[in-house]
């Protein structure tokens, strides 16, 4: 099958098909969806390895999609995946989506064109259509760290709800009631789960959070720092803060440290955060970390994928693994 075949079936020009296959830029959304539907129905993927692979030969490649290569957390996930995959003689192809849904679509197409044997993906948003078996040409998929509603695929997660619940409960038991929540986009499943754990902790203690202290949509360190600075400048600032991931935590720590040094706040708020990061134990004030091993998440995801590739998973349906978390307390007064 060629691009011209797709063009005839979709009743568009070959150039339009090529643009859709390259990410859909400069193509009207409705037209792009039409062409993508035809491509999916015909099961077409550009075969980048066709000239180098003999019939029946496997590529030995596993595609890995993460959201941010600059985030040490995802570097750990990739490291764990590679450890397991390399032991089977395979290699991984790694790409970064930067939380861009269109880029994710293009990279998935590129991976399939290179005849990857399987995929491990940290998904962007909640678009289930791109992860159907027809779209993926029956290539096995494991979702890592996040899920997508309606996608029947293996997934490995962190116990987000329990971790957020435990950290928030400790703050409530310490007498804090004005607890801020700094989270990322509501379309990210980890953010949803951690917010649920936060709210459940309040409910279990017979109260509810102040919604004016719940700030969502924070995608990077800079945005988190601005949001934390705004909260600290209020007439009634929060006495405690829960930060939903390591990048948000970094921004929050910067804002709290600056505000304390400038005298904006006399006593820094208690901080609890999800995902540890380098030098967390050197923060200028005590904090609690909902900790876990990102490399282990990668290893578990890779093992789940390999069990599909070697047939040991049998005819099992979609499997879900939730890895445990634990609280680590860093006391700035003793440097630990």
């Amino acid at each position: 099958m060629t691009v011209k075949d797709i063009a005839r079936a979709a009743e568009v020009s070959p150039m339009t098909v090529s643009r859709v296959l390259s990410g859909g830029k400069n193509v009207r959304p409705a037209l792009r969806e039409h062409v993508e539907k035809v491509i999916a129905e015909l099961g077409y993927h550009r075969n980048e390895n066709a000239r180098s692979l003999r019939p029946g030969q496997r590529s030995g490649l596993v595609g890995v999609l993460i959201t941010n290569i600059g985030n040490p957390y995802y570097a750990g996930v990739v490291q764990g995946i590679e450890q397991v995959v390399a032991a089977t003689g395979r290699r991984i192809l790694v790409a970064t989506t930067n939380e861009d849904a269109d880029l994710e679509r293009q990279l998935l197409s590129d991976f399939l064109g290179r005849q990857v044997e399987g995929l491990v993906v940290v998904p962007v948003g909640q678009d289930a259509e791109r992860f159907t078996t027809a779209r993926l040409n029956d290539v096995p998929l494991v979702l890592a760290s996040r899920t997508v509603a309606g996608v029947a695929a293996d997934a490995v997660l962190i116990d987000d709800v329990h971790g957020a619940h435990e950290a928030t409960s400790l703050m409530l038991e310490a007498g804090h009631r004005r607890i801020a929540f700094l989270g990322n986009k509501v379309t990210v499943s980890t953010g949803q789960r951690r917010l649920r754990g936060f709210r459940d902790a309040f409910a279990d203690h017979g109260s509810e959070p102040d919604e004016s202290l719940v700030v969502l949509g924070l995608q990077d360190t800079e945005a988190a720092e601005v949001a934390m600075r705004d909260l600290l400048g209020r007439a009634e600032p929060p006495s405690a803060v829960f930060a939903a991931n390591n990048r948000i935590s970094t921004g929050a720590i910067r804002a709290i440290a600056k505000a304390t040094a400038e005298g904006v706040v006399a006593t820094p708020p208690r901080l609890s955060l999800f995902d540890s990061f380098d030098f967390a134990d050197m923060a200028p004030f005590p904090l609690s970390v909902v900790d876990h091993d990102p490399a282990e998440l990668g290893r578990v995801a890779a093992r789940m994928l390999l069990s599909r590739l070697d047939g040991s998973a049998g005819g099992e349906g979609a499997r879900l693994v939730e890895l445990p978390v634990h609280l680590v307390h860093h006391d700035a007064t003793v440097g630990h």
Side-chain angles (χ1 to χ4, degrees), residues 9 40 75 79 81 85 102 115-116 120 137-138 146 158 172 175 210 221 234 296-297 299 302-303 317:
Q79 181 182 43
I81 295 171
V85 169
D102 288 335
Q115 302 294 287
V116 295
V120 179
N137 206 23
D138 294 321
R146 304 173 179 178
I158 300 303
L172 289 166
D210 181 342
T221 299
R234 295 185 183 183
E296 179 61 13
L297 186 146
R299 287 189 287 268
R303 292 186 194 113

Side-chain angles (χ1 to χ4, degrees), residues 55-330:
Q57 181 183 5
R58 292 186 173 185
S59 68
L61 299 174
V62 169
V64 179
L65 275 185
I66 58 175
T67 60
N68 183 357
I69 194 63
N71 188 334
Y73 177 85
Y74 289 117
V77 173
V78 171
Q79 181 182 43
I81 295 171
E82 186 171 36
Q83 288 173 352
V84 174
V85 169
T88 69
R90 295 178 174 89
R91 295 292 178 263
I92 65 173
L93 295 176
V94 182
T96 304
T97 62
N98 296 317
E99 299 286 3
D100 185 324
D102 288 335
L103 180 56
E104 180 184 67
R105 183 189 302 108
Q106 179 179 341
L107 290 171
L108 283 170
S109 180
D110 289 347
F111 277 169
L112 294 171
R114 295 180 188 282
Q115 302 294 287
V116 295
E117 296 180 28
L119 291 161
V120 179
V121 177
V122 180
V124 177
Q126 292 293 308
D127 182 4
E129 181 64 24
R130 73 189 62 183
F131 295 113
T132 62
T133 55
R135 282 290 180 92
L136 297 181
N137 206 23
D138 294 321
V139 171
L141 166 70
V142 175
L143 298 177
S145 181
R146 304 173 179 178
T147 56
V148 178
V151 174
D154 292 335
V156 55
L157 307 176
I158 300 303
D159 195 349
D160 303 291
V161 177
H162 174 73
H165 185 285
E166 185 175 1
T168 306
S169 292
L170 283 178
M171 291 187 284
L172 289 166
E173 289 162 7
H176 296 280
R177 289 298 177 267
R178 290 186 58 75
I179 305 176
F181 181 93
L182 301 180
N184 48 8
K185 292 195 299 187
V186 294
T187 54
V188 175
S189 64
T190 50
Q192 295 172 1
R193 286 159 54 86
R194 292 169 190 180
L195 180 57
R196 189 171 89 215
F198 174 80
R199 286 182 168 145
D200 286 352
F202 273 88
D204 290 346
H205 285 76
S207 62
E208 57 185 31
D210 181 342
E211 292 299 328
S212 71
L213 301 178
V214 175
V215 184
L216 305 177
L218 304 174
Q219 286 301 100
D220 53 39
T221 299
E222 291 73 22
E225 183 175 352
V226 171
M228 187 72 253
R229 186 79 177 187
D230 173 72
L231 289 171
L232 294 174
R234 295 185 183 183
E236 292 185 75
S239 65
V241 181
F242 182 88
N245 63 37
N246 59 350
R247 308 301 280 179
I248 292 174
S249 301
T250 301
I253 289 173
R254 287 178 182 170
I256 294 171
K258 290 178 182 177
T260 303
E262 295 167 1
V264 175
V265 293
T267 303
R270 176 169 177 169
L271 180 63
S272 292
L273 52 99
F274 219 109
D275 303 338
S276 190
F277 56 93
D278 290 342
F279 310 118
D281 58 339
M282 298 178 66
F285 43 81
L287 53 81
S288 299
V289 179
V290 182
D291 202 11
H292 56 93
D293 182 4
E296 179 61 13
L297 186 146
R299 287 189 287 268
V300 172
R303 292 186 194 113
M304 294 177 80
L305 180 64
L306 292 174
S307 71
R308 294 293 185 187
L309 294 176
D310 64 20
S312 60
E316 289 186 65
R319 300 166 294 175
L320 173 64
V321 174
E322 283 193 342
L323 300 181
V325 297
H326 61 280
L327 274 178
V328 177
H329 304 287
H330 297 296

Side-chain angles (χ1 to χ4, degrees), residues 3-4 6-18 20 31 34-35:
V3 168
K4 290 183 179 180
I6 300 294
R8 279 194 294 269
E11 298 182 340
V12 298
S13 70
M15 179 61 73
T16 298
V17 176
S18 295
V20 171
L31 182 57
H34 167 66
V35 174

Side-chain angles (χ1 to χ4, degrees), residues 21-38:
L21 290 171
S22 297
K25 294 188 182 299
N26 299 319
V27 180
R28 298 193 315 276
L31 182 57
R32 185 190 70 195
E33 291 177 7
H34 167 66
V35 174
E36 286 178 342
K37 182 178 180 181
V38 172

